[in-house]
Amino acid sequence: MAAGGPSVFLLMVNGQVESAQFPEFDNLYCKYCFVYGQDWAPTAGLEEGISQITSKSRDACQALVWNFPIDITFKSTNPFGWPQIVLSVYGPDVFGNDVVRGYGAVHVPFSPGRHKRTIPMFVPESTSKLQKFTSWFMGRRPEYTDPKVVAQGEGREVVPHRASPSVRTSHSMAAGLPAEHVKGPSPV
Amino acid sequence: MAEVHVIGQIMGATGFSESSLFCKWGVHTGAAWKLLSGIREGQTQVDTPQVGDMAYWSHPIDLHFATKGLQGWPRLHLQVWSQDSFGRCQLAGYGFCYVPSSPGTHQLACPTWRPLGSWREQLARAFVGGGPQLLHGDTIYSGADRYRLHTAAGGTVHLEIGLLLRHFDRYGVEC
């Protein structure tokens, strides 16, 4: 096989974190960041962001709307390590402390075009009842020191989680792929 | 050598009678396949659904294979277990599905089953927990000795798998 040197392809993602549905919580904000493999590098746009704090709407669907923009372009030589967007949602508890309400991650879509994704969110849970009570009381819930852990497969088996509902994002994607390099998915 | 990228997530599971589920997964391939990057097997976190009955794992899968032949196309095999409040684990179901062979994003729903055992074992499972398990995990994805088993249905595991193929046309394979 001829080794012509690695050829580079670009991946542009733009879109928004639209809204969330969290029946039990209100006044939430979200942070996003991207996790990607070693062969990937962002060339333009912001890798991380923090949204505004939003309250639930008064109507029946009780949506928490952020409408928070995402815009980033990656370059890479290898699809391994395809970027994932990691979302963390935070909000105040009964005592006014800022606690984590959910983490979620999803791969950036592979095919060009418009995509709408609903991401389930989950929180780590203390295993002992005493620790659950003290963490509720002190406002210090179990939290990841680095939210990027959510995008990785290793080490998940040790932490029990509880799932709460979902954050909706919509994004569109354009990919510049040299045609002979990667046989990508066929357009829809 | 042709290359295959399998990138996606084990999203979660529905239809299991137990809550607090986790999944042990692995990808099995034939002899002509070589794993270039990625982790071939793993275990998800334990998830307890708060709303609805779907347990969500969102466990990422990112694998890069090189292959010399089509035989032994990758198969994903899954074992769903439930964990109770005492920390004991009980088998909820075994399942397998082939990784798709056309490029693009695919939503897969993998049904699962669990071995039943004798009436005594079923009674013990209902009251005390436990229950029969397979000794050799490859029965999950091979058909060889299945006729000996009597099984019951478990729930369904939902996966979203994206596939990228490379250099297959050089070997005359159309995908």
Side-chain angles (χ1 to χ4, degrees), chain A residues 1 23 78-82 84 105-107 110 117 120 122 125 151-154 156-157 159-163 165 181-185, chain B residues 1 5 7-9 37-39 43-48 50-51 56-62 64 104-105 160 162 164-166 169-170:
Chain A
M1 205 157 81
N78 183 3
F80 180 72
W82 195 273
Q84 297 181 57
V106 74
H107 283 283
F110 309 109
R117 307 297 299 278
F122 44 83
E125 201 176 55
Q152 286 155 17
E154 309 94 306
R156 280 188 168 207
E157 60 269 16
V159 187
H161 287 79
R162 198 169 25 99
H181 183 80
V182 173
K183 184 168 272 175
Chain B
M1 303 242 279
H5 288 270
I7 304 172
Q9 274 189 348
S37 338
I39 307 168
Q43 188 175 312
T44 68
Q45 73 272 20
V46 179
D47 187 70
T48 314
Q50 297 290 296
V51 178
Y56 283 100
W57 297 310
S58 299
H59 190 95
I61 297 179
D62 196 341
H64 184 191
T105 314
E160 188 179 288
L164 290 172
L165 303 174
R166 191 173 167 204
D169 48 349
R170 286 190 199 167

Short mmCIF file of all heavy atoms in Angstrom, two decimals, chain A residues 1 23 78-82 84 105-107 110 117 120 122 125 151-154 156-157 159-163 165 181-185, chain B residues 1 5 7-9 37-39 43-48 50-51 56-62 64 104-105 160 162 164-166 169-170:
data_model
loop_
_atom_site.label_atom_id
_atom_site.label_comp_id
_atom_site.label_asym_id
_atom_site.label_seq_id
_atom_site.Cartn_x
_atom_site.Cartn_y
_atom_site.Cartn_z
N MET A 1 0.86 -1.19 0.00
CA MET A 1 0.00 0.00 0.00
C MET A 1 0.88 1.22 0.00
O MET A 1 1.80 1.33 0.80
CB MET A 1 -0.86 -0.04 1.29
CG MET A 1 -2.11 0.71 1.14
SD MET A 1 -3.36 0.17 2.30
CE MET A 1 -2.89 1.02 3.76
N PRO A 23 -37.45 17.45 34.99
CA PRO A 23 -38.69 17.68 35.74
C PRO A 23 -38.49 18.17 37.17
O PRO A 23 -39.29 18.93 37.68
CB PRO A 23 -39.36 16.30 35.76
CG PRO A 23 -38.73 15.54 34.68
CD PRO A 23 -37.37 16.10 34.46
N ASN A 78 -7.21 11.02 11.00
CA ASN A 78 -7.63 9.67 11.36
C ASN A 78 -8.99 9.74 12.04
O ASN A 78 -9.17 10.51 12.98
CB ASN A 78 -6.57 9.11 12.33
CG ASN A 78 -6.84 7.68 12.73
OD1 ASN A 78 -7.77 7.04 12.27
ND2 ASN A 78 -6.01 7.16 13.63
N PRO A 79 -9.98 8.95 11.58
CA PRO A 79 -11.28 9.01 12.26
C PRO A 79 -11.26 8.50 13.68
O PRO A 79 -12.20 8.76 14.44
CB PRO A 79 -12.17 8.11 11.40
CG PRO A 79 -11.50 8.03 10.09
CD PRO A 79 -10.04 8.16 10.33
N PHE A 80 -10.23 7.78 14.08
CA PHE A 80 -10.21 7.30 15.46
C PHE A 80 -10.14 8.50 16.41
O PHE A 80 -9.35 9.40 16.20
CB PHE A 80 -9.01 6.38 15.67
CG PHE A 80 -8.92 5.85 17.07
CD1 PHE A 80 -9.82 4.91 17.51
CD2 PHE A 80 -7.97 6.33 17.94
CE1 PHE A 80 -9.77 4.43 18.80
CE2 PHE A 80 -7.91 5.86 19.24
CZ PHE A 80 -8.81 4.91 19.67
N GLY A 81 -10.94 8.44 17.50
CA GLY A 81 -10.97 9.59 18.39
C GLY A 81 -11.92 10.66 17.91
O GLY A 81 -11.76 11.83 18.24
N TRP A 82 -12.93 10.24 17.12
CA TRP A 82 -13.93 11.18 16.59
C TRP A 82 -14.46 12.04 17.74
O TRP A 82 -14.77 11.52 18.80
CB TRP A 82 -15.05 10.39 15.95
CG TRP A 82 -15.95 11.18 15.08
CD1 TRP A 82 -17.05 11.88 15.46
CD2 TRP A 82 -15.84 11.38 13.67
NE1 TRP A 82 -17.64 12.48 14.38
CE2 TRP A 82 -16.92 12.19 13.26
CE3 TRP A 82 -14.94 10.93 12.69
CZ2 TRP A 82 -17.12 12.57 11.95
CZ3 TRP A 82 -15.13 11.31 11.38
CH2 TRP A 82 -16.21 12.13 11.02
N GLN A 84 -16.31 14.06 20.64
CA GLN A 84 -17.56 13.96 21.37
C GLN A 84 -17.80 15.28 22.07
O GLN A 84 -16.85 15.91 22.54
CB GLN A 84 -17.47 12.87 22.44
CG GLN A 84 -17.25 11.49 21.90
CD GLN A 84 -17.18 10.49 23.02
OE1 GLN A 84 -18.09 10.36 23.82
NE2 GLN A 84 -16.08 9.78 23.07
N ALA A 105 -22.82 12.83 27.11
CA ALA A 105 -21.87 12.97 26.01
C ALA A 105 -22.44 12.28 24.79
O ALA A 105 -23.16 11.30 24.90
CB ALA A 105 -20.54 12.33 26.38
N VAL A 106 -22.09 12.81 23.63
CA VAL A 106 -22.51 12.18 22.39
C VAL A 106 -21.45 12.46 21.33
O VAL A 106 -20.78 13.49 21.37
CB VAL A 106 -23.91 12.69 21.95
CG1 VAL A 106 -23.86 14.10 21.40
CG2 VAL A 106 -24.55 11.76 20.95
N HIS A 107 -21.28 11.53 20.39
CA HIS A 107 -20.35 11.79 19.29
C HIS A 107 -20.93 12.83 18.37
O HIS A 107 -22.13 12.83 18.10
CB HIS A 107 -20.13 10.52 18.47
CG HIS A 107 -19.22 9.54 19.13
ND1 HIS A 107 -17.85 9.68 19.16
CD2 HIS A 107 -19.48 8.38 19.75
CE1 HIS A 107 -17.33 8.65 19.80
NE2 HIS A 107 -18.28 7.85 20.17
N PHE A 110 -21.57 11.74 12.01
CA PHE A 110 -20.59 11.41 10.97
C PHE A 110 -20.95 11.94 9.62
O PHE A 110 -20.08 12.10 8.78
CB PHE A 110 -20.46 9.90 10.81
CG PHE A 110 -20.23 9.22 12.09
CD1 PHE A 110 -21.20 8.45 12.67
CD2 PHE A 110 -19.05 9.39 12.74
CE1 PHE A 110 -20.99 7.85 13.88
CE2 PHE A 110 -18.83 8.80 13.95
CZ PHE A 110 -19.81 8.02 14.52
N ARG A 117 -30.24 15.94 18.17
CA ARG A 117 -29.96 14.86 19.10
C ARG A 117 -30.51 15.19 20.47
O ARG A 117 -30.41 16.34 20.92
CB ARG A 117 -28.44 14.65 19.24
CG ARG A 117 -27.71 14.46 17.95
CD ARG A 117 -28.17 13.22 17.24
NE ARG A 117 -27.93 12.05 18.05
CZ ARG A 117 -26.75 11.44 18.11
NH1 ARG A 117 -25.75 11.87 17.40
NH2 ARG A 117 -26.61 10.39 18.89
N PRO A 120 -29.36 11.85 26.89
CA PRO A 120 -29.73 11.55 28.27
C PRO A 120 -28.63 12.01 29.23
O PRO A 120 -27.45 11.91 28.91
CB PRO A 120 -29.86 10.03 28.28
CG PRO A 120 -29.06 9.56 27.14
CD PRO A 120 -29.02 10.65 26.13
N PHE A 122 -26.90 11.95 33.17
CA PHE A 122 -26.87 11.16 34.40
C PHE A 122 -25.91 11.79 35.40
O PHE A 122 -25.01 12.53 35.05
CB PHE A 122 -26.51 9.70 34.13
CG PHE A 122 -25.37 9.51 33.19
CD1 PHE A 122 -24.07 9.58 33.63
CD2 PHE A 122 -25.60 9.25 31.85
CE1 PHE A 122 -23.02 9.40 32.76
CE2 PHE A 122 -24.56 9.06 30.99
CZ PHE A 122 -23.27 9.13 31.44
N GLU A 125 -23.81 8.76 41.79
CA GLU A 125 -24.60 8.64 42.99
C GLU A 125 -23.72 8.07 44.08
O GLU A 125 -22.92 7.18 43.81
CB GLU A 125 -25.73 7.65 42.70
CG GLU A 125 -26.91 7.73 43.57
CD GLU A 125 -27.99 6.78 43.12
OE1 GLU A 125 -27.70 5.58 43.00
OE2 GLU A 125 -29.10 7.25 42.90
N ALA A 151 -16.77 11.11 28.57
CA ALA A 151 -16.64 10.70 27.17
C ALA A 151 -15.77 9.47 27.00
O ALA A 151 -15.58 9.01 25.89
CB ALA A 151 -16.05 11.86 26.37
N GLN A 152 -15.23 8.93 28.07
CA GLN A 152 -14.33 7.81 27.94
C GLN A 152 -14.99 6.54 28.38
O GLN A 152 -15.88 6.54 29.23
CB GLN A 152 -13.09 8.03 28.79
CG GLN A 152 -12.17 9.05 28.19
CD GLN A 152 -11.32 9.70 29.24
OE1 GLN A 152 -11.20 9.18 30.34
NE2 GLN A 152 -10.74 10.82 28.90
N GLY A 153 -14.49 5.43 27.84
CA GLY A 153 -15.08 4.15 28.19
C GLY A 153 -14.47 3.50 29.41
O GLY A 153 -15.11 2.72 30.08
N GLU A 154 -13.21 3.80 29.71
CA GLU A 154 -12.55 3.07 30.79
C GLU A 154 -12.98 3.61 32.14
O GLU A 154 -13.17 4.79 32.30
CB GLU A 154 -11.02 3.22 30.74
CG GLU A 154 -10.39 2.92 29.42
CD GLU A 154 -10.23 4.19 28.60
OE1 GLU A 154 -11.21 4.90 28.39
OE2 GLU A 154 -9.12 4.45 28.16
N ARG A 156 -15.60 3.21 33.90
CA ARG A 156 -16.98 3.59 34.22
C ARG A 156 -17.62 2.59 35.14
O ARG A 156 -18.62 2.88 35.78
CB ARG A 156 -17.79 3.61 32.94
CG ARG A 156 -17.58 4.86 32.19
CD ARG A 156 -18.55 4.86 31.09
NE ARG A 156 -18.63 6.14 30.45
CZ ARG A 156 -19.72 6.57 29.84
NH1 ARG A 156 -20.76 5.85 29.80
NH2 ARG A 156 -19.72 7.73 29.27
N GLU A 157 -17.07 1.40 35.20
CA GLU A 157 -17.81 0.35 35.90
C GLU A 157 -17.81 0.55 37.40
O GLU A 157 -18.59 -0.06 38.10
CB GLU A 157 -17.23 -1.03 35.58
CG GLU A 157 -15.79 -1.22 35.96
CD GLU A 157 -14.84 -0.85 34.83
OE1 GLU A 157 -15.28 -0.19 33.89
OE2 GLU A 157 -13.68 -1.23 34.91
N VAL A 159 -18.48 3.37 39.07
CA VAL A 159 -19.31 4.45 39.60
C VAL A 159 -20.78 4.20 39.29
O VAL A 159 -21.15 4.16 38.14
CB VAL A 159 -18.90 5.80 38.96
CG1 VAL A 159 -19.62 6.93 39.63
CG2 VAL A 159 -17.41 5.98 39.07
N PRO A 160 -21.62 4.06 40.30
CA PRO A 160 -23.06 3.92 40.00
C PRO A 160 -23.64 5.28 39.64
O PRO A 160 -23.20 6.31 40.12
CB PRO A 160 -23.66 3.41 41.31
CG PRO A 160 -22.67 3.69 42.36
CD PRO A 160 -21.34 3.95 41.72
N HIS A 161 -24.62 5.28 38.75
CA HIS A 161 -25.20 6.51 38.27
C HIS A 161 -26.69 6.46 38.34
O HIS A 161 -27.30 5.42 38.42
CB HIS A 161 -24.83 6.72 36.79
CG HIS A 161 -23.41 7.12 36.58
ND1 HIS A 161 -22.39 6.23 36.62
CD2 HIS A 161 -22.87 8.31 36.33
CE1 HIS A 161 -21.27 6.87 36.39
NE2 HIS A 161 -21.52 8.13 36.21
N ARG A 162 -27.27 7.64 38.22
CA ARG A 162 -28.72 7.76 38.18
C ARG A 162 -29.02 8.62 36.96
O ARG A 162 -28.41 9.67 36.78
CB ARG A 162 -29.14 8.51 39.44
CG ARG A 162 -30.55 8.40 39.82
CD ARG A 162 -30.80 8.95 41.22
NE ARG A 162 -29.87 9.93 41.70
CZ ARG A 162 -30.06 11.25 41.71
NH1 ARG A 162 -31.14 11.74 41.16
NH2 ARG A 162 -29.18 12.06 42.22
N ALA A 163 -29.94 8.17 36.13
CA ALA A 163 -30.21 8.97 34.92
C ALA A 163 -31.36 9.90 35.16
O ALA A 163 -32.38 9.53 35.70
CB ALA A 163 -30.56 8.04 33.76
N PRO A 165 -33.63 13.09 32.95
CA PRO A 165 -33.83 13.29 31.52
C PRO A 165 -32.89 14.24 30.82
O PRO A 165 -31.81 14.46 31.25
CB PRO A 165 -35.27 13.77 31.42
CG PRO A 165 -35.90 13.21 32.58
CD PRO A 165 -34.87 13.23 33.66
N HIS A 181 -9.69 9.43 0.40
CA HIS A 181 -9.09 9.08 1.68
C HIS A 181 -10.02 8.26 2.57
O HIS A 181 -9.69 7.19 3.02
CB HIS A 181 -8.64 10.33 2.41
CG HIS A 181 -7.94 10.04 3.69
ND1 HIS A 181 -6.63 9.66 3.74
CD2 HIS A 181 -8.37 10.04 4.96
CE1 HIS A 181 -6.29 9.47 5.00
NE2 HIS A 181 -7.32 9.69 5.77
N VAL A 182 -11.17 8.78 2.81
CA VAL A 182 -12.09 8.09 3.70
C VAL A 182 -13.40 7.89 2.97
O VAL A 182 -13.96 8.84 2.47
CB VAL A 182 -12.35 8.92 4.98
CG1 VAL A 182 -13.43 8.29 5.80
CG2 VAL A 182 -11.09 9.06 5.78
N LYS A 183 -13.85 6.65 2.94
CA LYS A 183 -15.15 6.43 2.33
C LYS A 183 -16.18 6.73 3.41
O LYS A 183 -16.40 5.93 4.29
CB LYS A 183 -15.27 4.99 1.84
CG LYS A 183 -16.56 4.72 1.12
CD LYS A 183 -16.54 3.41 0.40
CE LYS A 183 -15.97 3.57 -0.98
NZ LYS A 183 -15.81 2.35 -1.70
N GLY A 184 -16.72 7.91 3.36
CA GLY A 184 -17.64 8.31 4.41
C GLY A 184 -19.03 7.77 4.15
O GLY A 184 -19.26 7.09 3.17
N PRO A 185 -19.94 8.04 5.06
CA PRO A 185 -21.31 7.58 4.90
C PRO A 185 -21.97 8.27 3.72
O PRO A 185 -21.64 9.40 3.40
CB PRO A 185 -21.98 7.98 6.21
CG PRO A 185 -21.11 9.04 6.76
CD PRO A 185 -19.73 8.79 6.28
N MET B 1 -4.36 -3.19 3.25
CA MET B 1 -5.39 -3.75 4.15
C MET B 1 -6.57 -2.78 4.22
O MET B 1 -6.38 -1.57 4.26
CB MET B 1 -4.84 -3.89 5.57
CG MET B 1 -3.61 -4.74 5.66
SD MET B 1 -3.90 -6.16 6.68
CE MET B 1 -3.70 -5.47 8.30
N HIS B 5 -13.78 1.66 10.76
CA HIS B 5 -13.92 2.42 12.00
C HIS B 5 -15.32 2.20 12.54
O HIS B 5 -16.30 2.44 11.84
CB HIS B 5 -13.75 3.92 11.74
CG HIS B 5 -12.35 4.31 11.45
ND1 HIS B 5 -11.46 4.68 12.44
CD2 HIS B 5 -11.67 4.38 10.30
CE1 HIS B 5 -10.30 4.96 11.89
NE2 HIS B 5 -10.39 4.79 10.60
N ILE B 7 -17.64 3.59 15.39
CA ILE B 7 -17.70 4.70 16.35
C ILE B 7 -19.14 4.88 16.76
O ILE B 7 -19.99 5.08 15.91
CB ILE B 7 -17.18 6.01 15.71
CG1 ILE B 7 -15.77 5.81 15.17
CG2 ILE B 7 -17.20 7.14 16.72
CD1 ILE B 7 -15.27 6.97 14.37
N GLY B 8 -19.43 4.80 18.04
CA GLY B 8 -20.82 4.97 18.44
C GLY B 8 -20.97 4.86 19.94
O GLY B 8 -20.02 5.08 20.69
N GLN B 9 -22.17 4.50 20.35
CA GLN B 9 -22.48 4.46 21.78
C GLN B 9 -23.39 3.29 22.08
O GLN B 9 -24.25 2.95 21.27
CB GLN B 9 -23.31 5.69 22.15
CG GLN B 9 -22.56 6.90 22.48
CD GLN B 9 -23.50 7.96 23.03
OE1 GLN B 9 -24.71 7.85 22.94
NE2 GLN B 9 -22.93 8.98 23.59
N SER B 37 -6.60 0.55 16.96
CA SER B 37 -6.75 1.45 18.13
C SER B 37 -8.11 1.23 18.75
O SER B 37 -9.05 0.84 18.06
CB SER B 37 -6.67 2.92 17.77
OG SER B 37 -6.02 3.17 16.60
N GLY B 38 -8.19 1.51 20.02
CA GLY B 38 -9.48 1.43 20.70
C GLY B 38 -9.46 0.28 21.69
O GLY B 38 -8.56 -0.54 21.71
N ILE B 39 -10.51 0.25 22.48
CA ILE B 39 -10.61 -0.78 23.51
C ILE B 39 -11.66 -1.77 23.08
O ILE B 39 -12.79 -1.40 22.78
CB ILE B 39 -11.01 -0.15 24.85
CG1 ILE B 39 -10.03 0.97 25.15
CG2 ILE B 39 -10.97 -1.17 25.96
CD1 ILE B 39 -10.51 1.82 26.28
N GLN B 43 -17.00 -2.30 30.36
CA GLN B 43 -18.18 -2.43 31.20
C GLN B 43 -18.73 -1.03 31.44
O GLN B 43 -17.98 -0.11 31.73
CB GLN B 43 -17.76 -3.06 32.52
CG GLN B 43 -18.90 -3.44 33.41
CD GLN B 43 -18.42 -4.17 34.64
OE1 GLN B 43 -17.63 -5.09 34.56
NE2 GLN B 43 -18.88 -3.73 35.79
N THR B 44 -20.05 -0.91 31.33
CA THR B 44 -20.64 0.42 31.52
C THR B 44 -20.82 0.68 33.01
O THR B 44 -20.58 -0.19 33.84
CB THR B 44 -22.02 0.49 30.86
OG1 THR B 44 -22.90 -0.36 31.59
CG2 THR B 44 -21.97 0.05 29.43
N GLN B 45 -21.30 1.87 33.31
CA GLN B 45 -21.63 2.17 34.70
C GLN B 45 -22.98 1.54 35.04
O GLN B 45 -23.71 1.13 34.15
CB GLN B 45 -21.68 3.69 34.93
CG GLN B 45 -22.89 4.39 34.35
CD GLN B 45 -22.71 4.83 32.93
OE1 GLN B 45 -21.85 4.33 32.22
NE2 GLN B 45 -23.52 5.78 32.51
N VAL B 46 -23.31 1.51 36.32
CA VAL B 46 -24.62 1.01 36.75
C VAL B 46 -25.58 2.18 36.68
O VAL B 46 -25.29 3.24 37.23
CB VAL B 46 -24.57 0.49 38.20
CG1 VAL B 46 -25.93 0.00 38.63
CG2 VAL B 46 -23.54 -0.61 38.32
N ASP B 47 -26.69 2.03 36.02
CA ASP B 47 -27.61 3.15 35.90
C ASP B 47 -28.96 2.80 36.49
O ASP B 47 -29.51 1.74 36.22
CB ASP B 47 -27.77 3.54 34.44
CG ASP B 47 -28.59 4.80 34.31
OD1 ASP B 47 -28.08 5.86 34.70
OD2 ASP B 47 -29.73 4.72 33.86
N THR B 48 -29.50 3.72 37.27
CA THR B 48 -30.83 3.54 37.86
C THR B 48 -31.73 4.60 37.26
O THR B 48 -31.53 5.79 37.51
CB THR B 48 -30.75 3.76 39.39
OG1 THR B 48 -29.65 3.04 39.89
CG2 THR B 48 -32.02 3.29 40.05
N GLN B 50 -34.50 7.30 36.79
CA GLN B 50 -35.36 8.07 37.68
C GLN B 50 -36.72 8.31 37.02
O GLN B 50 -37.72 8.37 37.67
CB GLN B 50 -34.74 9.44 37.97
CG GLN B 50 -33.43 9.34 38.70
CD GLN B 50 -33.62 8.87 40.11
OE1 GLN B 50 -34.24 9.55 40.90
NE2 GLN B 50 -33.10 7.72 40.45
N VAL B 51 -36.69 8.52 35.71
CA VAL B 51 -37.91 8.83 34.98
C VAL B 51 -38.01 7.84 33.84
O VAL B 51 -37.08 7.69 33.07
CB VAL B 51 -37.86 10.27 34.42
CG1 VAL B 51 -39.10 10.57 33.63
CG2 VAL B 51 -37.68 11.27 35.53
N TYR B 56 -30.00 4.42 30.94
CA TYR B 56 -29.11 5.03 29.96
C TYR B 56 -27.66 4.83 30.38
O TYR B 56 -27.30 5.10 31.51
CB TYR B 56 -29.39 6.53 29.86
CG TYR B 56 -30.63 6.85 29.07
CD1 TYR B 56 -31.83 7.15 29.70
CD2 TYR B 56 -30.59 6.85 27.67
CE1 TYR B 56 -32.95 7.45 28.97
CE2 TYR B 56 -31.72 7.15 26.94
CZ TYR B 56 -32.90 7.44 27.59
OH TYR B 56 -34.02 7.72 26.87
N TRP B 57 -26.85 4.39 29.44
CA TRP B 57 -25.42 4.29 29.72
C TRP B 57 -24.61 5.28 28.90
O TRP B 57 -23.63 5.80 29.37
CB TRP B 57 -24.92 2.86 29.43
CG TRP B 57 -25.55 1.84 30.28
CD1 TRP B 57 -25.68 1.87 31.64
CD2 TRP B 57 -26.16 0.62 29.86
NE1 TRP B 57 -26.33 0.73 32.07
CE2 TRP B 57 -26.64 -0.05 31.01
CE3 TRP B 57 -26.35 0.01 28.60
CZ2 TRP B 57 -27.30 -1.28 30.95
CZ3 TRP B 57 -27.00 -1.21 28.55
CH2 TRP B 57 -27.46 -1.85 29.72
N SER B 58 -24.97 5.52 27.66
CA SER B 58 -24.23 6.39 26.74
C SER B 58 -22.75 6.03 26.76
O SER B 58 -21.87 6.89 26.89
CB SER B 58 -24.37 7.87 27.13
OG SER B 58 -25.70 8.27 27.08
N HIS B 59 -22.46 4.76 26.62
CA HIS B 59 -21.08 4.31 26.73
C HIS B 59 -20.40 4.39 25.36
O HIS B 59 -20.86 3.76 24.43
CB HIS B 59 -21.05 2.87 27.23
CG HIS B 59 -19.69 2.39 27.60
ND1 HIS B 59 -19.20 2.44 28.87
CD2 HIS B 59 -18.70 1.88 26.82
CE1 HIS B 59 -17.97 1.96 28.89
NE2 HIS B 59 -17.64 1.61 27.67
N PRO B 60 -19.32 5.18 25.21
CA PRO B 60 -18.74 5.38 23.89
C PRO B 60 -17.95 4.15 23.42
O PRO B 60 -17.30 3.48 24.20
CB PRO B 60 -17.80 6.57 24.09
CG PRO B 60 -17.43 6.52 25.52
CD PRO B 60 -18.60 5.94 26.26
N ILE B 61 -18.05 3.89 22.13
CA ILE B 61 -17.26 2.83 21.49
C ILE B 61 -16.51 3.48 20.33
O ILE B 61 -17.11 4.17 19.53
CB ILE B 61 -18.19 1.72 20.94
CG1 ILE B 61 -18.94 1.06 22.08
CG2 ILE B 61 -17.38 0.69 20.17
CD1 ILE B 61 -19.88 -0.01 21.60
N ASP B 62 -15.21 3.27 20.28
CA ASP B 62 -14.42 3.85 19.19
C ASP B 62 -13.34 2.82 18.86
O ASP B 62 -12.41 2.64 19.63
CB ASP B 62 -13.79 5.17 19.65
CG ASP B 62 -13.29 6.01 18.49
OD1 ASP B 62 -13.10 5.45 17.39
OD2 ASP B 62 -13.09 7.22 18.68
N HIS B 64 -10.87 0.88 15.72
CA HIS B 64 -10.26 1.00 14.40
C HIS B 64 -9.66 -0.36 14.07
O HIS B 64 -8.71 -0.80 14.72
CB HIS B 64 -9.19 2.09 14.44
CG HIS B 64 -8.56 2.36 13.12
ND1 HIS B 64 -7.44 3.15 12.99
CD2 HIS B 64 -8.87 1.97 11.87
CE1 HIS B 64 -7.10 3.22 11.72
NE2 HIS B 64 -7.95 2.52 11.01
N GLY B 104 -22.26 4.63 7.55
CA GLY B 104 -23.33 5.51 8.00
C GLY B 104 -23.65 5.25 9.44
O GLY B 104 -23.00 4.47 10.11
N THR B 105 -24.70 5.90 9.90
CA THR B 105 -25.11 5.75 11.30
C THR B 105 -26.28 4.80 11.37
O THR B 105 -27.22 4.89 10.58
CB THR B 105 -25.54 7.11 11.86
OG1 THR B 105 -24.59 8.08 11.49
CG2 THR B 105 -25.63 7.06 13.36
N GLU B 160 -26.22 2.91 19.10
CA GLU B 160 -26.14 3.72 17.89
C GLU B 160 -24.71 3.57 17.40
O GLU B 160 -23.76 3.95 18.11
CB GLU B 160 -26.42 5.17 18.22
CG GLU B 160 -26.53 6.00 16.99
CD GLU B 160 -26.83 7.43 17.31
OE1 GLU B 160 -27.97 7.72 17.72
OE2 GLU B 160 -25.91 8.25 17.19
N GLY B 162 -21.90 4.08 14.29
CA GLY B 162 -21.56 4.68 13.01
C GLY B 162 -20.39 3.92 12.42
O GLY B 162 -19.51 3.46 13.15
N LEU B 164 -17.36 3.72 9.36
CA LEU B 164 -16.60 4.33 8.28
C LEU B 164 -15.72 3.24 7.70
O LEU B 164 -15.01 2.56 8.44
CB LEU B 164 -15.71 5.46 8.79
CG LEU B 164 -16.41 6.74 9.26
CD1 LEU B 164 -15.41 7.67 9.91
CD2 LEU B 164 -17.05 7.45 8.10
N LEU B 165 -15.76 3.07 6.37
CA LEU B 165 -14.97 2.03 5.72
C LEU B 165 -13.92 2.67 4.84
O LEU B 165 -14.13 3.75 4.29
CB LEU B 165 -15.88 1.13 4.87
CG LEU B 165 -17.03 0.48 5.60
CD1 LEU B 165 -17.92 -0.25 4.62
CD2 LEU B 165 -16.53 -0.49 6.64
N ARG B 166 -12.81 1.99 4.67
CA ARG B 166 -11.72 2.57 3.89
C ARG B 166 -11.02 1.49 3.09
O ARG B 166 -10.77 0.41 3.62
CB ARG B 166 -10.75 3.20 4.87
CG ARG B 166 -9.73 4.04 4.23
CD ARG B 166 -8.93 4.76 5.28
NE ARG B 166 -7.76 5.32 4.64
CZ ARG B 166 -6.63 5.61 5.24
NH1 ARG B 166 -6.51 5.38 6.51
NH2 ARG B 166 -5.63 6.13 4.59
N ASP B 169 -12.80 -0.74 -1.75
CA ASP B 169 -12.94 -0.83 -3.20
C ASP B 169 -11.66 -1.33 -3.87
O ASP B 169 -11.71 -1.89 -4.96
CB ASP B 169 -13.35 0.53 -3.77
CG ASP B 169 -12.48 1.64 -3.23
OD1 ASP B 169 -11.71 1.39 -2.28
OD2 ASP B 169 -12.55 2.76 -3.75
N ARG B 170 -10.55 -1.20 -3.21
CA ARG B 170 -9.30 -1.72 -3.80
C ARG B 170 -9.31 -3.23 -3.90
O ARG B 170 -8.59 -3.83 -4.67
CB ARG B 170 -8.10 -1.34 -2.93
CG ARG B 170 -7.71 0.07 -3.03
CD ARG B 170 -6.40 0.23 -2.33
NE ARG B 170 -6.18 1.62 -2.01
CZ ARG B 170 -5.24 2.07 -1.20
NH1 ARG B 170 -4.45 1.21 -0.60
NH2 ARG B 170 -5.10 3.35 -0.95
#
